[in-house]
Amino acid sequence: MRLKKVTVDSEKCQGHNRCYAMAPGMFKVDEYGYATPRGDGVLASEADIELAQRAVENCPERAIEIIEGEG
Amino acid sequence: MAEPVKEWTADYDIFSREYIKDPFPIWDDIRGKCPVAHTDRWGGSFMPTRYEDLFNIAKDIEHFSSQNVLVADVMPTPEQIEREQNMTEEDQELIQQYNVGAPPITSDPPVHTWARKLLLPPFSVTTVAKYEAETRELCKELIDKFIDKGRADGAVDYAQQIPPRVIASILGINKDDADTFTGWVRGFLELGLTDPELREQSARSIFEFMVGQVQQRKEQPGDDLISYLLAQKVDGEPVPEPHIVGTCFLTLVAGIDTTWSSIGSAIWHLAQHPEHRKQIIEEPGLIDNAVEELLRAYSPVTMARYVASDTEYAGCPIPEGSKVLMNFPAANRDPRVFENPDVVDLHRAKNPHIAFGVGIHRCAGSNLARMEMKVSIQEWLKRIPDYRLEDPDAVTWAGGQVRGPRKMGVVFPS
Ligand code: HEM
Ligand code: SF4
């Protein structure tokens, strides 16, 4: 099955905290504000995909992506 | 009186009354005509207004340096030049020693990288949350002072009072001196941009104050930002003291005018939009999104860059030594990125605004600023759900580097 996953490009992330503020269950931030997806980033439901999509659209650094991978 | 502007793309004036009061149609005009506007006024500068251009220029740190981030060059007066020429050797040495600017905002890599890293943890979401309760208390106390009068100045009595006290608490300096700090910061960043003597005086006051505070913390460390900075090591060495002074200078200057302007603009907007007040009150979960939307629509801060070597942007040649105004506020009204950009929509779903900049200089205080905005709006609406501007035409604005209301009478049922 093809899985959707959310990723954060650590080279691009500048810690705006937008993703964490809107989806704290999906992202975590370290003490410098840099974000990473929680767990493996797999988007298990339509609701999760939608939430991740919103994070993509609000990240000013264009650091967040939704990718399709083998599961 | 300066000559009125006829063509904004070739002769803009960011300190004109028209620009300060209502810059939005001016930005639309420029944005529609050309990617980079130019002016010879105030020392000369270039100004992008489209989102994509601000994004690209902010990321090109090789050509666009942060060594000078002021939107206008402050030319020294003849008296200042003479004083400088007659300075004692001792004073010259002192100036040399402390000549580190205001890291990280005026730094480029490699200094920027460690200077910024030092400052991020004390302004992280988690650290900032520790100041939320006291900020709420402060807002309540401020409102107590005018709630029975049925009238207040939303800028002077409220917005202006909050950020200096919160940053004072973080720095471990006396909150009762808040009015003094505000005076210095305005003298440095607002009025000082067109008044070199005032600017120098204000800078010296902040500087001397911070040097004194650093000395005091060395003897008596406390639980505050200055003591934290003194305890940090970079490459195994303590952070040089001039650097700490510069960074403390920056947190005071960067945290006051900016956040006060944002809170003021939010109160100003909500005064005229009962439907938005209602939405925030009835839907408490909306507050974060509302704050982001108000930051987008009324972004207060325009920064600048110094062009480090001859370059070209979008076909426009920009010579070395030029100033480029980073008009983040105009980018946030760009219809190419934001649907109906001039409409404030507290439910806006797609809002990658760059009110806090973009790239390596992203505002280090953004979590703090957001917390202060959220709390101050919530507390205001809790006590004053129904209010309006006393006289919309009497509201005065500051602009140039930081835009926000400075006098704003509001009335409400008492
Ligand atoms: C709504 C309020 C605020 C706005 C709109 C704002 C805006 C900005 C912007 C646009 C920048 C980027 C500068 C550039 O690209 O050259 C910046 C940088 C910075 N801001 Fe803020 N700011 C706000 C509040 C604060 C507060 C409360 C602090 C706290 C001390 C603060 C501290 C800083 C610092 C330290 C930097 C430099 C970061 C770096 O260069 O790495 N700001 N701010
Ligand atoms: S919104 Fe973007 S830049 Fe901000 S923390 Fe998330 S990934 Fe990083």
Side-chain angles (χ1 to χ4, degrees):
Chain A
M1 203 184 95
R2 295 193 68 80
L3 278 179
K4 285 197 165 162
K5 265 184 167 184
V6 66
T7 63
V8 176
D9 182 338
S10 61
E11 294 282 305
K12 290 185 181 164
C13 172
Q14 292 292 348
H16 287 254
N17 203 51
R18 297 291 302 280
C19 56
Y20 177 71
M22 62 178 57
M26 188 174 288
F27 300 94
K28 55 185 191 308
V29 288
D30 66 14
E31 61 175 324
Y32 300 99
Y34 299 116
T36 39
R38 283 192 196 274
D40 53 11
V42 169
L43 301 170
S45 65
E46 274 307 312
D48 271 3
I49 294 172
E50 220 166 276
L51 193 57
Q53 191 54 41
R54 259 196 94 175
V56 170
E57 290 179 343
N58 284 279
C59 172
E61 305 289 345
R62 306 174 194 171
I64 308 174
E65 262 189 293
I66 298 173
I67 56 164
E68 290 202 9
E70 294 298 325
Chain B
M1 212 41 223
E3 279 285 304
V5 176
K6 290 198 197 80
E7 176 50 55
W8 285 91
T9 57
D11 181 34
Y12 59 81
D13 181 356
I14 58 165
F15 293 108
S16 68
R17 205 173 297 168
E18 195 184 350
Y19 186 94
I20 288 174
K21 192 161 171 116
D22 190 18
F24 309 109
I26 297 173
W27 296 337
D28 287 346
D29 175 49
I30 296 176
R31 217 190 282 108
K33 285 183 185 160
C34 77
V36 187
H38 178 260
T39 192
D40 288 328
R41 295 177 195 246
W42 303 105
S45 60
F46 294 85
M47 181 168 78
T49 52
R50 297 177 188 165
Y51 187 97
E52 200 62 24
D53 297 332
L54 267 301
F55 185 92
N56 292 336
I57 294 173
K59 300 265 172 173
D60 183 359
I61 52 176
E62 195 191 316
H63 290 105
F64 300 97
S65 156
S66 282
Q67 58 180 277
N68 186 347
V69 291
L70 290 177
V71 295
D73 276 328
V74 187
M75 294 298 170
T77 61
E79 292 77 24
Q80 281 174 316
I81 293 172
E82 197 185 316
R83 276 208 301 275
E84 195 160 320
Q85 281 165 350
N86 296 329
M87 214 172 358
T88 63
E89 246 170 64
E90 213 175 300
D91 279 354
Q92 280 174 9
E93 258 172 46
L94 191 72
I95 288 189
Q96 209 50 42
Q97 188 195 346
Y98 277 92
N99 191 15
V100 295
I105 212 165
T106 56
S107 325
D108 293 322
V111 170
H112 175 266
T113 312
W114 65 261
R116 178 174 171 85
K117 197 167 171 208
L118 211 54
L119 205 53
L120 291 174
F123 289 100
S124 73
V125 175
T126 347
T127 317
V128 159
K130 294 182 193 152
Y131 295 91
E132 183 167 330
E134 82 178 60
T135 305
R136 224 171 261 292
E137 204 48 46
L138 167 64
C139 293
K140 278 188 199 142
E141 284 166 21
L142 293 169
I143 297 171
D144 282 342
K145 289 190 196 156
F146 53 69
I147 185 87
D148 294 333
K149 294 186 194 150
R151 186 205 173 272
D153 188 313
V156 177
D157 302 331
Y158 194 63
Q160 191 186 118
Q161 304 298 325
I162 300 162
R165 287 178 174 76
V166 178
I167 198 71
S169 177
I170 292 175
L171 284 163
I173 60 188
N174 194 345
K175 280 186 239 180
D176 296 338
D177 292 337
D179 292 343
T180 311
F181 305 143
T182 303
W184 291 342
V185 171
R186 290 190 78 184
F188 181 71
L189 205 61
E190 186 184 319
L191 313 165
L193 279 190
T194 48
D195 181 348
E197 284 284 350
L198 178 66
R199 183 173 159 83
E200 186 185 322
Q201 257 172 34
S202 311
R204 181 166 327 126
S205 303
I206 306 176
F207 172 77
E208 284 172 357
F209 175 80
M210 285 303 174
V211 170
Q213 290 294 315
V214 169
Q215 288 316 316
Q216 203 196 6
R217 283 325 174 286
K218 270 166 65 183
E219 287 151 28
Q220 262 185 313
D223 181 16
D224 56 62
L225 181 62
I226 303 176
S227 308
Y228 161 88
L229 290 171
L230 280 165
Q232 297 305 301
K233 293 230 158 70
V234 173
D235 295 335
E237 296 288 324
V239 185
E241 249 171 70
H243 184 102
I244 295 182
V245 170
T247 292
C248 292
F249 187 111
L250 172 62
T251 50
L252 194 71
V253 172
I256 293 186
D257 245 34
T258 49
T259 317
W260 148 28
S261 299
S262 280
I263 297 171
S265 292
I267 300 289
W268 177 81
H269 175 87
L270 293 172
Q272 301 165 87
H273 290 272
E275 76 284 10
H276 289 159
R277 298 201 296 268
K278 192 161 172 264
Q279 284 172 13
I280 296 175
I281 293 167
E282 289 178 359
E283 213 182 313
L286 189 61
I287 187 71
D288 287 342
N289 220 56
V291 165
E292 299 305 331
E293 176 66 347
L294 292 165
L295 278 164
R296 179 194 72 79
Y298 304 107
S299 308
V301 179
T302 301
M303 296 298 292
R305 294 291 185 267
Y306 172 85
V307 177
S309 58
D310 285 353
T311 185
E312 192 188 288
Y313 188 82
C316 168
I318 308 182
E320 180 179 336
S322 306
K323 186 183 280 303
V324 175
L325 303 192
M326 300 301 281
N327 197 337
F328 300 120
N332 288 337
R333 296 263 188 154
D334 187 345
R336 293 166 187 80
V337 175
F338 303 97
E339 214 173 293
N340 295 325
D342 293 330
V343 174
V344 172
D345 171 6
L346 302 184
H347 288 96
R348 186 180 291 275
K350 182 176 179 227
N351 183 10
H353 73 77
I354 49 175
F356 292 117
V358 64
I360 63 166
H361 290 280
R362 186 272 301 169
C363 176
S366 60
N367 295 314
L368 177 64
R370 287 184 169 117
M371 183 278 279
E372 290 182 37
M373 281 185 74
K374 176 182 89 172
V375 169
S376 59
I377 295 171
Q378 285 176 329
E379 292 305 312
W380 180 283
L381 290 181
K382 220 181 267 174
R383 307 275 294 279
I384 312 173
D386 184 21
Y387 70 106
R388 63 175 176 80
L389 296 175
E390 191 170 42
D391 173 4
D393 291 330
V395 176
T396 62
W397 294 81
Q401 190 110 40
V402 183
R403 180 175 189 273
R406 290 297 177 262
K407 282 209 181 78
M408 176 178 51
V410 300
V411 287
F412 41 85
S414 58

